Amino acid sequence: MEFERRFAELLGVPAECSKVVSSCTAGLHLALATLGVSRGDEVIVPSLSFVATANCVRYLGAIPVFADILGPDDPTIDPADVARKISPHTRGVICMHYAGFAARLPDLVRLCRDHDLFLVEDVAHAPGAAIGGRMLGTWGDAGCFSFFSNKNLAMGEGGLVAMREADLAARVGRMRSHGMTSLTLDRHNGHAFSYDVVELGFNFRTTELAAALGLAQLGRLFAANARRAELTSRYRELLGRCNVIRLPFLNAPGNPAYHIFPIVLMPEVDRHAFMLASRERGIQTSIHYPPIHLFTDFRESFGTAEGLLPITEDYAAREVTLPLHPGLTVKDIEIIAGEVIQVLESL
Ligand SMILES: *Cc1c(COP(=O)(O)O)cnc(C)c1O
């Protein structure tokens, strides 16, 4: 598929290592399956992420073990806490490049190598981002991207897995299509009359139509990310002096993807009141994220509770996400920031 090849080119990986799937969630599931995760294994994950980052572990009967974040200035997974959570059952680590900013990849790569663990990158927020001249999604054993409608590169529903090992990528390719050895297209073209099923697979394919949308978006990705960078920088100029908010990632290295614009309110600010008052002024805000370990299903399944991850819990209680997408203008950002400052002064 053309999109697969073009995305591999963008990442700088061999074309055969790049596999389009139906979603990032499906991609995470297949990446972990081909990396050998099975019942009873543990995989260390951030709790400050979308629930799919942890659910993919559970699909394989394995246990998500949550690690804390570094802090409000860098709310990505803390390699030191990951190290503390390693047990004899640990098989690997999933990091997530929150808001489009790289997690501590060199440290995580070293830690995983030293303990013979795999590293999977959840790159749903960060297509087109890089640090040290190397694209995010190519540092670990697998990089899983999302092309859902609200992501930096959208095709409606879709995802892509970049596997480091070509043989594992071939397995991802087979498992996304029922575990079958030959494609419908090959049979249609007369290359094959029958097929075998060699392992348990799924229907995790996407459609040609979605991939065609993706191709058009791919051509605009870097320009759209640059636009997000420009808007982020204006937000930072306008909100940086406000003493009741803190802005994460001010010293981020490399080229982030600026997926969302998170701010962190000082403890004395009532977040609910702030979000309500913003809505009354026509500004939509959201929260990234309610911590995964505090969801009912996780509490009931794994006995997780408040106090498990103090830094994540503190961040998640104070974070607010302001509007950011490439369709906004610098003028829009100035209006939003002005309203936000007025709301904060009125509380
Ligand atoms: C959106 C998202 C996902 C899931 O992506 P889908 O393509 O919708 O499955 C996974 N992880 C993170 C961090 C996300 O933001």
Side-chain angles (χ1 to χ4, degrees), residues 8 12-18 164:
V13 303
E16 67 265 27
C17 290
S18 161
R164 180 200 303 286

Side-chain angles (χ1 to χ4, degrees), residues 23-25 49-50 52-53 96 122 124-125 146 148 151 158 289:
S23 67
C24 180
T25 307
S49 185
F50 184 60
T53 311
M96 197 277 273
D122 179 338
H125 290 193
S146 173
F148 181 63
K151 303 294 158 85
Y289 287 93

